Amino acid sequence: MKNQLLLLFILLCSVTINAQKIINNPDYISSNINGNITQVELTDTETILHVLIKSPVGSWIAIPKETYIEDASGKSKRLFITKTDGISLTGKNYIKDSDEIRFKLYFPPLEKTTTKINYGESNKGGNWFIYKLDLSKDGVHFIGNSKKISNYSIVTGYPATPKTVNGWKIESGIQNPNQPDTTFVFNMYKLGGNNSLLPTDLPESFFGNWYDKYGTLILISTPDYLVSDYRVQYYRDIQQIGDNKFNIISTMKSFEVLNIDSESMTIRTDRLITLKRKPSTNSVPKFIKGDWLHWQNKKEIKVTDDYFYNNDHGELGVHDVVKSRIDQVVESESGNVIWFVLYHEGNYNLYSVRKTDGEYILQPRGFTDARYKKI
């Protein structure tokens, strides 16, 4: 009898083990979170994401109740978060003792056929996301361990601009000021093994400001995001479909790049269009710099060479006091419209300055009543 019970216990343990799949440091296509998914546990009853976030001490993060995962193929419904471990669900969680925080997020079980998932948080006015998290195999990450790469410099800070060196994608790191030819890397992983391309795999000539034959700004393309149809969009998938030809799917639309060189690009959406590339100094025009006053509630935005300081927090305002870094400055060929892409805490926001009846009006996208005039 004891032997039978022991055999039954072993069989039950075997079933439990077989019902669980663990993926370590899974690869993904694109992300705007300051950290990584270090492990995914798949069981018959739940899906568990192990998360590592890096952020300065004193900053905070929040996990909204609308946080979800979904099959990246779009074949099934979103699965919303059920509980957390190591972090509170909703509310502010402050980074206190070090520059990182680790926690677990729990979701309902995925279908057995799911090989890639998207993660999102559905925040009002923005969305922290990870696209195409690969559940088919372990990734090749080095998290929390320093690694030295000679003759290579990476942007200092959180997050660092993604770079690629000898097939390795570098996501965050800091240069040692005493050894300027070295970089200590916190997180890096090997590219390849996936049909999807990363934005940094696109030709360098793809990135820039693109205009139609009438001089209208149609597309701003960077390795981190796209701007078109007066919206900031993020890459969801990139496939190479031929020699110098690509199919690009963003969060809002998809288009095909049929031909591209340093001066022109032919794309196909619902029609064929040839765009011309125009370089930008990416500098703020002198007449833009200074204070802009809200037309109703007397709050203001201050524009400098590098930042927007938004002190508008009335009913018609769009933010509390926020310092947003200017990432892109792009003018229409007529000079009557100037686009600003601003970065703040993982989100990119779009502002425009338009000339109307001889006067320039500054306005953030999506807020029709938030109009500012230069003081």
Side-chain angles (χ1 to χ4, degrees), residues 303-328:
V303 181
T304 70
D305 283 318
D306 301 305
Y307 293 95
F308 271 42
Y309 295 88
N310 192 339
N311 191 30
D312 186 357
H313 50 274
E315 283 188 13
L316 299 178
V318 294
H319 296 292
D320 291 329
V321 180
V322 167
K323 175 184 175 182
S324 298
R325 175 174 58 82
I326 300 173
D327 191 72
Q328 293 284 329

Side-chain angles (χ1 to χ4, degrees), residues 23-147:
I23 304 96
N24 294 303
N25 306 314
D27 290 335
Y28 53 84
I29 296 301
S30 61
S31 168
N32 68 347
I33 70 170
N34 298 348
N36 285 93
I37 306 299
T38 61
Q39 189 179 86
V40 179
E41 296 182 57
L42 304 175
T43 74
D44 292 332
T45 59
E46 59 191 358
T47 304
I48 308 170
L49 304 188
H50 296 242
V51 186
L52 165 65
I53 296 294
K54 286 182 171 290
S55 194
V57 173
S59 61
W60 59 269
I61 61 173
I63 306 297
K65 64 180 185 299
E66 296 84 3
T67 299
Y68 64 87
I69 58 174
E70 63 183 0
D71 190 320
S73 67
K75 294 179 180 178
S76 57
K77 295 181 179 180
R78 289 179 173 177
L79 304 174
F80 290 94
I81 193 166
T82 57
K83 64 178 181 178
T84 59
D85 183 12
I87 193 171
S88 67
L89 183 57
T90 72
K92 295 182 179 180
N93 296 268
Y94 285 90
I95 312 294
K96 296 179 180 179
D97 301 321
S98 70
D99 62 354
E100 68 178 42
I101 182 173
R102 295 174 183 265
F103 52 89
K104 298 178 187 178
L105 305 178
Y106 292 76
F107 301 86
L110 290 160
E111 295 182 6
K112 301 295 185 184
T113 55
T114 301
T115 57
K116 292 183 177 67
I117 60 172
N118 300 328
Y119 167 89
E121 293 186 5
S122 295
N123 290 309
K124 185 177 181 181
N127 184 24
W128 295 94
F129 64 80
I130 303 173
Y131 286 132
K132 293 204 169 182
L133 197 69
D134 190 355
L135 305 183
S136 65
K137 60 185 182 302
D138 288 349
V140 190
H141 287 61
F142 297 89
I143 296 178
N145 298 322
S146 64
K147 187 175 180 67

Side-chain angles (χ1 to χ4, degrees), residues 105-290:
L105 305 178
Y106 292 76
F107 301 86
L110 290 160
E111 295 182 6
K112 301 295 185 184
T113 55
T114 301
T115 57
K116 292 183 177 67
I117 60 172
N118 300 328
Y119 167 89
E121 293 186 5
S122 295
N123 290 309
K124 185 177 181 181
N127 184 24
W128 295 94
F129 64 80
I130 303 173
Y131 286 132
K132 293 204 169 182
L133 197 69
D134 190 355
L135 305 183
S136 65
K137 60 185 182 302
D138 288 349
V140 190
H141 287 61
F142 297 89
I143 296 178
N145 298 322
S146 64
K147 187 175 180 67
K148 187 164 66 176
I149 299 177
S150 296
N151 301 320
Y152 183 71
S153 175
I154 200 167
V155 177
T156 300
Y158 297 98
T161 303
K163 302 284 186 179
T164 304
V165 178
N166 297 328
W168 290 89
K169 181 184 176 188
I170 315 300
E171 285 204 323
S172 59
I174 186 168
Q175 188 178 36
N176 185 342
N178 299 319
Q179 296 176 278
D181 64 337
T182 3
T183 296
F184 294 89
V185 177
F186 298 125
N187 176 23
M188 59 187 291
Y189 64 88
K190 189 74 172 176
L191 301 178
N194 193 310
N195 292 329
S196 296
L197 301 178
L198 289 162
T200 48
D201 297 324
L202 290 166
E204 186 65 29
S205 55
F206 173 74
F207 303 115
N209 309 315
W210 298 94
Y211 300 77
D212 66 12
K213 62 181 180 180
Y214 303 107
T216 304
L217 179 63
I218 300 298
L219 176 70
I220 302 171
S221 52
T222 80
D224 298 310
Y225 58 84
L226 304 167
V227 178
S228 67
D229 300 327
Y230 195 27
R231 291 175 180 271
V232 177
Q233 305 175 34
Y234 298 100
Y235 298 94
R236 296 199 68 164
D237 195 23
I238 303 170
Q239 299 282 338
Q240 185 159 7
I241 56 176
D243 186 20
N244 215 24
K245 297 179 180 180
F246 304 90
N247 184 45
I248 298 175
I249 301 174
S250 72
T251 46
M252 297 297 298
K253 64 189 300 183
S254 64
F255 61 95
E256 292 180 3
V257 176
L258 301 180
N259 185 58
I260 184 171
D261 57 40
S262 60
E263 296 182 355
S264 65
M265 176 171 64
T266 301
I267 65 172
R268 176 165 54 202
T269 52
D270 53 343
R271 61 190 177 95
L272 282 175
I273 182 173
T274 297
L275 306 176
K276 58 181 179 178
R277 194 170 188 260
K278 181 182 176 183
S280 172
T281 61
N282 209 31
S283 60
V284 180
K286 185 176 180 180
F287 72 92
I288 298 294
K289 289 182 282 188

